[in-house]
Amino acid sequence: ELVLTQSPGTLSLSPGERATLSCRASQSVTNNYLAWYQQKPGQAPRLLIYGASSRATGIPDRFSGSGSETDFTLTISRLEPEDFAVYYCQQYGSSPTWTFGQGTKVEIK
Amino acid sequence: QITLKESGPTLVKPTQTLTLTCSFSGFSVTTYGVGVGWIRQPPGKALEWLALIYWDDDKGYNPSLKSRLTISKDTSKNQVVLTLTNMDPVDTATYYCATAGLATPFDYWGQGTLVTVSS
């Protein structure tokens, strides 16, 4: 079973700073089918990135995804106040068995 | 416009079976490549993928819960149903349904429904 490990668990940053979130897979993710989601308290997750690097519809270009095989990164170039949230990675390459990471919380420093 | 909404009991007793319904509009689960999945999130914890069903009735289950899960679809009603047997307090969570595809992750989500397991 493919396991996703996200780091760090919590990232404390100020608005305007750059955020770099990591997602590491225990085995290669097929076709780089790796997604990133943002979740705010009391809300359903929102898809940000799919296919490791493609932004979903309506997602600002300050969000970018990169990586391949087992190492993936979500970068937020300049944090806006609304970006403070929890971020999850998810693999959907081992269809139809999918997996989420444990999440990274981006909090205001 | 794609919308999904979860429905079912808010409180179940230990050992009971949970049945949740995802009612959706704006797409058809008979269309090639379309799938609907279930995800849950215990209070304050991470997301956990549960199950997924595709247009062709192919299904996938979380290996750690496979023996307790069943997913099915009713195309005439635009619904996907999830059952989870032998409920335990650790199954207390918000349960979400969401759309997916052969090459796309969960792009549209329901609002979620909180299910509490308690005697």
Side-chain angles (χ1 to χ4, degrees):
Chain A
E1 179 185 348
L2 195 154
V3 175
L4 297 176
T5 302
Q6 293 187 239
S7 62
T10 303
L11 201 49
S12 298
L13 296 167
S14 301
E17 289 193 296
R18 181 184 187 90
T20 302
L21 289 66
S22 173
C23 177
R24 182 159 293 177
S26 60
Q27 55 191 270
S28 184
V29 176
T30 303
N31 295 325
N32 292 328
Y33 281 172
L34 193 286
W36 290 92
Y37 299 85
Q38 177 193 67
Q39 187 180 33
K40 296 179 181 179
Q43 296 183 16
R46 177 175 70 147
L47 177 65
L48 300 175
I49 301 288
Y50 65 94
S53 59
S54 298
R55 271 187 300 275
T57 303
I59 302 303
D61 60 7
R62 63 180 182 273
F63 291 93
S64 64
S66 62
S68 63
E69 298 189 355
T70 61
D71 286 292
F72 300 89
T73 301
L74 174 70
T75 302
I76 310 171
S77 59
R78 287 178 56 86
L79 283 164
E80 297 288 340
E82 62 268 27
D83 298 336
F84 291 92
V86 180
Y87 293 84
Y88 295 95
C89 60
Q90 180 224 348
Q91 70 81 20
Y92 55 104
S94 302
S95 184
T97 303
W98 295 3
T99 320
F100 284 96
Q102 82 278 21
T104 290
K105 181 180 182 180
V106 179
E107 66 176 21
I108 300 176
K109 187 174 182 180
Chain B
Q1 181 190 3
I2 291 175
T3 63
L4 304 96
K5 188 172 184 179
E6 307 86 354
S7 61
T10 58
L11 180 65
V12 297
K13 290 180 168 44
T15 75
Q16 286 186 334
T17 294
L18 172 68
T19 299
L20 293 173
T21 299
C22 176
S23 301
F24 55 84
S25 62
F27 69 96
S28 173
V29 75
T30 62
T31 301
Y32 175 87
V34 171
V36 174
W38 286 92
I39 306 98
R40 72 179 180 181
Q41 185 172 39
K45 295 189 177 181
L47 300 169
E48 180 180 30
W49 173 75
L50 297 178
L52 180 65
I53 188 166
Y54 282 111
W55 85 103
D56 61 356
D57 217 39
D58 190 19
K59 299 164 188 154
Y61 295 101
N62 184 317
S64 65
L65 295 165
K66 187 174 183 178
S67 63
R68 299 172 54 206
L69 284 168
T70 303
I71 190 170
S72 62
K73 57 182 170 62
D74 185 331
T75 55
S76 65
K77 294 182 179 178
N78 280 350
Q79 291 179 336
V80 170
V81 176
L82 182 79
T83 63
L84 181 61
T85 62
N86 194 23
M87 292 289 283
D88 183 272
V90 299
D91 296 312
T92 293
T94 297
Y95 288 75
Y96 297 98
C97 64
T99 62
L102 282 178
T104 54
F106 295 118
D107 46 3
Y108 294 90
W109 294 64
Q111 63 191 23
T113 185
L114 176 62
V115 178
T116 301
V117 184
S118 175
S119 55

PDB file of all heavy atoms in Angstrom, chain A residues 32-50:
ATOM      1  N   ASN A  32       2.516  10.220 -12.029  1.00  0.00           N
ATOM      2  CA  ASN A  32       2.565  11.451 -11.210  1.00  0.00           C
ATOM      3  C   ASN A  32       1.163  11.970 -10.908  1.00  0.00           C
ATOM      4  O   ASN A  32       0.915  13.180 -10.874  1.00  0.00           O
ATOM      5  CB  ASN A  32       3.397  12.532 -11.906  1.00  0.00           C
ATOM      6  CG  ASN A  32       4.861  12.173 -11.975  1.00  0.00           C
ATOM      7  OD1 ASN A  32       5.382  11.506 -11.080  1.00  0.00           O
ATOM      8  ND2 ASN A  32       5.521  12.602 -13.035  1.00  0.00           N
ATOM      9  N   TYR A  33       0.269  11.027 -10.629  1.00  0.00           N
ATOM     10  CA  TYR A  33      -1.102  11.394 -10.270  1.00  0.00           C
ATOM     11  C   TYR A  33      -1.126  11.773  -8.791  1.00  0.00           C
ATOM     12  O   TYR A  33      -1.577  11.032  -7.920  1.00  0.00           O
ATOM     13  CB  TYR A  33      -2.071  10.252 -10.555  1.00  0.00           C
ATOM     14  CG  TYR A  33      -2.473  10.116 -12.006  1.00  0.00           C
ATOM     15  CD1 TYR A  33      -3.217   9.009 -12.432  1.00  0.00           C
ATOM     16  CD2 TYR A  33      -2.127  11.060 -12.959  1.00  0.00           C
ATOM     17  CE1 TYR A  33      -3.607   8.876 -13.763  1.00  0.00           C
ATOM     18  CE2 TYR A  33      -2.496  10.936 -14.288  1.00  0.00           C
ATOM     19  CZ  TYR A  33      -3.240   9.828 -14.681  1.00  0.00           C
ATOM     20  OH  TYR A  33      -3.609   9.691 -15.994  1.00  0.00           O
ATOM     21  N   LEU A  34      -0.652  13.000  -8.546  1.00  0.00           N
ATOM     22  CA  LEU A  34      -0.534  13.521  -7.193  1.00  0.00           C
ATOM     23  C   LEU A  34      -1.294  14.842  -7.134  1.00  0.00           C
ATOM     24  O   LEU A  34      -1.096  15.717  -7.990  1.00  0.00           O
ATOM     25  CB  LEU A  34       0.939  13.721  -6.836  1.00  0.00           C
ATOM     26  CG  LEU A  34       1.395  13.981  -5.389  1.00  0.00           C
ATOM     27  CD1 LEU A  34       1.055  15.390  -4.917  1.00  0.00           C
ATOM     28  CD2 LEU A  34       0.804  12.968  -4.425  1.00  0.00           C
ATOM     29  N   ALA A  35      -2.165  14.971  -6.155  1.00  0.00           N
ATOM     30  CA  ALA A  35      -2.992  16.163  -6.011  1.00  0.00           C
ATOM     31  C   ALA A  35      -2.717  16.841  -4.672  1.00  0.00           C
ATOM     32  O   ALA A  35      -2.254  16.204  -3.719  1.00  0.00           O
ATOM     33  CB  ALA A  35      -4.474  15.804  -6.106  1.00  0.00           C
ATOM     34  N   TRP A  36      -3.013  18.131  -4.632  1.00  0.00           N
ATOM     35  CA  TRP A  36      -2.935  18.907  -3.399  1.00  0.00           C
ATOM     36  C   TRP A  36      -4.290  19.568  -3.144  1.00  0.00           C
ATOM     37  O   TRP A  36      -4.930  20.065  -4.070  1.00  0.00           O
ATOM     38  CB  TRP A  36      -1.873  19.995  -3.509  1.00  0.00           C
ATOM     39  CG  TRP A  36      -0.461  19.501  -3.539  1.00  0.00           C
ATOM     40  CD1 TRP A  36       0.281  19.208  -4.643  1.00  0.00           C
ATOM     41  CD2 TRP A  36       0.395  19.263  -2.411  1.00  0.00           C
ATOM     42  NE1 TRP A  36       1.540  18.796  -4.276  1.00  0.00           N
ATOM     43  CE2 TRP A  36       1.632  18.818  -2.914  1.00  0.00           C
ATOM     44  CE3 TRP A  36       0.223  19.378  -1.029  1.00  0.00           C
ATOM     45  CZ2 TRP A  36       2.703  18.493  -2.068  1.00  0.00           C
ATOM     46  CZ3 TRP A  36       1.285  19.063  -0.194  1.00  0.00           C
ATOM     47  CH2 TRP A  36       2.513  18.627  -0.716  1.00  0.00           C
ATOM     48  N   TYR A  37      -4.684  19.572  -1.875  1.00  0.00           N
ATOM     49  CA  TYR A  37      -5.942  20.179  -1.454  1.00  0.00           C
ATOM     50  C   TYR A  37      -5.661  21.176  -0.326  1.00  0.00           C
ATOM     51  O   TYR A  37      -4.738  21.000   0.467  1.00  0.00           O
ATOM     52  CB  TYR A  37      -6.919  19.136  -0.910  1.00  0.00           C
ATOM     53  CG  TYR A  37      -7.321  18.065  -1.895  1.00  0.00           C
ATOM     54  CD1 TYR A  37      -6.536  16.934  -2.076  1.00  0.00           C
ATOM     55  CD2 TYR A  37      -8.491  18.179  -2.642  1.00  0.00           C
ATOM     56  CE1 TYR A  37      -6.893  15.958  -2.977  1.00  0.00           C
ATOM     57  CE2 TYR A  37      -8.859  17.195  -3.544  1.00  0.00           C
ATOM     58  CZ  TYR A  37      -8.058  16.089  -3.701  1.00  0.00           C
ATOM     59  OH  TYR A  37      -8.420  15.110  -4.594  1.00  0.00           O
ATOM     60  N   GLN A  38      -6.520  22.166  -0.249  1.00  0.00           N
ATOM     61  CA  GLN A  38      -6.512  23.131   0.843  1.00  0.00           C
ATOM     62  C   GLN A  38      -7.799  22.937   1.638  1.00  0.00           C
ATOM     63  O   GLN A  38      -8.879  22.791   1.051  1.00  0.00           O
ATOM     64  CB  GLN A  38      -6.484  24.553   0.289  1.00  0.00           C
ATOM     65  CG  GLN A  38      -6.552  25.652   1.329  1.00  0.00           C
ATOM     66  CD  GLN A  38      -6.839  27.005   0.670  1.00  0.00           C
ATOM     67  OE1 GLN A  38      -7.906  27.251   0.134  1.00  0.00           O
ATOM     68  NE2 GLN A  38      -5.849  27.893   0.718  1.00  0.00           N
ATOM     69  N   GLN A  39      -7.697  22.929   2.961  1.00  0.00           N
ATOM     70  CA  GLN A  39      -8.899  22.826   3.788  1.00  0.00           C
ATOM     71  C   GLN A  39      -8.869  23.863   4.895  1.00  0.00           C
ATOM     72  O   GLN A  39      -7.891  23.943   5.658  1.00  0.00           O
ATOM     73  CB  GLN A  39      -9.049  21.432   4.396  1.00  0.00           C
ATOM     74  CG  GLN A  39     -10.391  21.257   5.113  1.00  0.00           C
ATOM     75  CD  GLN A  39     -10.566  19.887   5.713  1.00  0.00           C
ATOM     76  OE1 GLN A  39      -9.609  19.249   6.154  1.00  0.00           O
ATOM     77  NE2 GLN A  39     -11.806  19.412   5.735  1.00  0.00           N
ATOM     78  N   LYS A  40      -9.930  24.623   4.979  1.00  0.00           N
ATOM     79  CA  LYS A  40     -10.100  25.600   6.058  1.00  0.00           C
ATOM     80  C   LYS A  40     -11.106  25.055   7.062  1.00  0.00           C
ATOM     81  O   LYS A  40     -11.919  24.189   6.715  1.00  0.00           O
ATOM     82  CB  LYS A  40     -10.574  26.935   5.474  1.00  0.00           C
ATOM     83  CG  LYS A  40      -9.545  27.550   4.536  1.00  0.00           C
ATOM     84  CD  LYS A  40     -10.031  28.850   3.935  1.00  0.00           C
ATOM     85  CE  LYS A  40      -8.984  29.414   2.983  1.00  0.00           C
ATOM     86  NZ  LYS A  40      -9.422  30.678   2.352  1.00  0.00           N
ATOM     87  N   PRO A  41     -11.047  25.526   8.303  1.00  0.00           N
ATOM     88  CA  PRO A  41     -11.935  24.986   9.350  1.00  0.00           C
ATOM     89  C   PRO A  41     -13.399  25.037   8.949  1.00  0.00           C
ATOM     90  O   PRO A  41     -13.892  26.055   8.451  1.00  0.00           O
ATOM     91  CB  PRO A  41     -11.653  25.908  10.540  1.00  0.00           C
ATOM     92  CG  PRO A  41     -10.255  26.386  10.322  1.00  0.00           C
ATOM     93  CD  PRO A  41     -10.118  26.538   8.838  1.00  0.00           C
ATOM     94  N   GLY A  42     -14.077  23.904   9.152  1.00  0.00           N
ATOM     95  CA  GLY A  42     -15.504  23.829   8.869  1.00  0.00           C
ATOM     96  C   GLY A  42     -15.870  23.725   7.409  1.00  0.00           C
ATOM     97  O   GLY A  42     -17.055  23.764   7.073  1.00  0.00           O
ATOM     98  N   GLN A  43     -14.867  23.606   6.540  1.00  0.00           N
ATOM     99  CA  GLN A  43     -15.129  23.530   5.102  1.00  0.00           C
ATOM    100  C   GLN A  43     -14.634  22.216   4.520  1.00  0.00           C
ATOM    101  O   GLN A  43     -13.736  21.576   5.078  1.00  0.00           O
ATOM    102  CB  GLN A  43     -14.436  24.685   4.374  1.00  0.00           C
ATOM    103  CG  GLN A  43     -14.950  26.053   4.755  1.00  0.00           C
ATOM    104  CD  GLN A  43     -14.278  27.147   3.934  1.00  0.00           C
ATOM    105  OE1 GLN A  43     -13.655  26.902   2.895  1.00  0.00           O
ATOM    106  NE2 GLN A  43     -14.419  28.395   4.389  1.00  0.00           N
ATOM    107  N   ALA A  44     -15.207  21.842   3.391  1.00  0.00           N
ATOM    108  CA  ALA A  44     -14.701  20.710   2.640  1.00  0.00           C
ATOM    109  C   ALA A  44     -13.373  21.091   1.993  1.00  0.00           C
ATOM    110  O   ALA A  44     -13.103  22.271   1.749  1.00  0.00           O
ATOM    111  CB  ALA A  44     -15.709  20.308   1.567  1.00  0.00           C
ATOM    112  N   PRO A  45     -12.536  20.114   1.723  1.00  0.00           N
ATOM    113  CA  PRO A  45     -11.281  20.406   1.011  1.00  0.00           C
ATOM    114  C   PRO A  45     -11.558  20.984  -0.370  1.00  0.00           C
ATOM    115  O   PRO A  45     -12.604  20.730  -0.970  1.00  0.00           O
ATOM    116  CB  PRO A  45     -10.616  19.032   0.910  1.00  0.00           C
ATOM    117  CG  PRO A  45     -11.211  18.240   2.018  1.00  0.00           C
ATOM    118  CD  PRO A  45     -12.630  18.707   2.126  1.00  0.00           C
ATOM    119  N   ARG A  46     -10.587  21.767  -0.849  1.00  0.00           N
ATOM    120  CA  ARG A  46     -10.666  22.348  -2.194  1.00  0.00           C
ATOM    121  C   ARG A  46      -9.454  21.873  -2.988  1.00  0.00           C
ATOM    122  O   ARG A  46      -8.314  21.981  -2.516  1.00  0.00           O
ATOM    123  CB  ARG A  46     -10.678  23.881  -2.109  1.00  0.00           C
ATOM    124  CG  ARG A  46     -10.674  24.566  -3.472  1.00  0.00           C
ATOM    125  CD  ARG A  46     -10.814  26.064  -3.389  1.00  0.00           C
ATOM    126  NE  ARG A  46      -9.650  26.746  -2.844  1.00  0.00           N
ATOM    127  CZ  ARG A  46      -9.248  27.963  -3.221  1.00  0.00           C
ATOM    128  NH1 ARG A  46      -9.906  28.606  -4.176  1.00  0.00           N
ATOM    129  NH2 ARG A  46      -8.212  28.529  -2.640  1.00  0.00           N
ATOM    130  N   LEU A  47      -9.711  21.381  -4.195  1.00  0.00           N
ATOM    131  CA  LEU A  47      -8.620  20.917  -5.053  1.00  0.00           C
ATOM    132  C   LEU A  47      -7.806  22.105  -5.548  1.00  0.00           C
ATOM    133  O   LEU A  47      -8.353  23.051  -6.110  1.00  0.00           O
ATOM    134  CB  LEU A  47      -9.189  20.136  -6.240  1.00  0.00           C
ATOM    135  CG  LEU A  47      -8.172  19.634  -7.266  1.00  0.00           C
ATOM    136  CD1 LEU A  47      -7.238  18.606  -6.653  1.00  0.00           C
ATOM    137  CD2 LEU A  47      -8.908  19.032  -8.481  1.00  0.00           C
ATOM    138  N   LEU A  48      -6.492  22.038  -5.337  1.00  0.00           N
ATOM    139  CA  LEU A  48      -5.581  23.088  -5.817  1.00  0.00           C
ATOM    140  C   LEU A  48      -4.801  22.646  -7.049  1.00  0.00           C
ATOM    141  O   LEU A  48      -4.719  23.360  -8.035  1.00  0.00           O
ATOM    142  CB  LEU A  48      -4.563  23.445  -4.721  1.00  0.00           C
ATOM    143  CG  LEU A  48      -5.060  23.975  -3.389  1.00  0.00           C
ATOM    144  CD1 LEU A  48      -3.877  24.141  -2.444  1.00  0.00           C
ATOM    145  CD2 LEU A  48      -5.797  25.287  -3.584  1.00  0.00           C
ATOM    146  N   ILE A  49      -4.177  21.483  -6.943  1.00  0.00           N
ATOM    147  CA  ILE A  49      -3.230  20.984  -7.932  1.00  0.00           C
ATOM    148  C   ILE A  49      -3.565  19.534  -8.253  1.00  0.00           C
ATOM    149  O   ILE A  49      -3.895  18.757  -7.356  1.00  0.00           O
ATOM    150  CB  ILE A  49      -1.772  21.040  -7.395  1.00  0.00           C
ATOM    151  CG1 ILE A  49      -1.370  22.464  -7.015  1.00  0.00           C
ATOM    152  CG2 ILE A  49      -0.798  20.429  -8.391  1.00  0.00           C
ATOM    153  CD1 ILE A  49      -1.146  23.396  -8.172  1.00  0.00           C
ATOM    154  N   TYR A  50      -3.475  19.163  -9.522  1.00  0.00           N
ATOM    155  CA  TYR A  50      -3.611  17.772  -9.930  1.00  0.00           C
ATOM    156  C   TYR A  50      -2.497  17.447 -10.913  1.00  0.00           C
ATOM    157  O   TYR A  50      -1.875  18.355 -11.470  1.00  0.00           O
ATOM    158  CB  TYR A  50      -5.001  17.493 -10.532  1.00  0.00           C
ATOM    159  CG  TYR A  50      -5.275  18.246 -11.827  1.00  0.00           C
ATOM    160  CD1 TYR A  50      -5.032  17.656 -13.059  1.00  0.00           C
ATOM    161  CD2 TYR A  50      -5.760  19.552 -11.795  1.00  0.00           C
ATOM    162  CE1 TYR A  50      -5.260  18.349 -14.226  1.00  0.00           C
ATOM    163  CE2 TYR A  50      -5.998  20.249 -12.960  1.00  0.00           C
ATOM    164  CZ  TYR A  50      -5.747  19.635 -14.172  1.00  0.00           C
ATOM    165  OH  TYR A  50      -5.983  20.335 -15.342  1.00  0.00           O
TER     166      TYR A  50
END
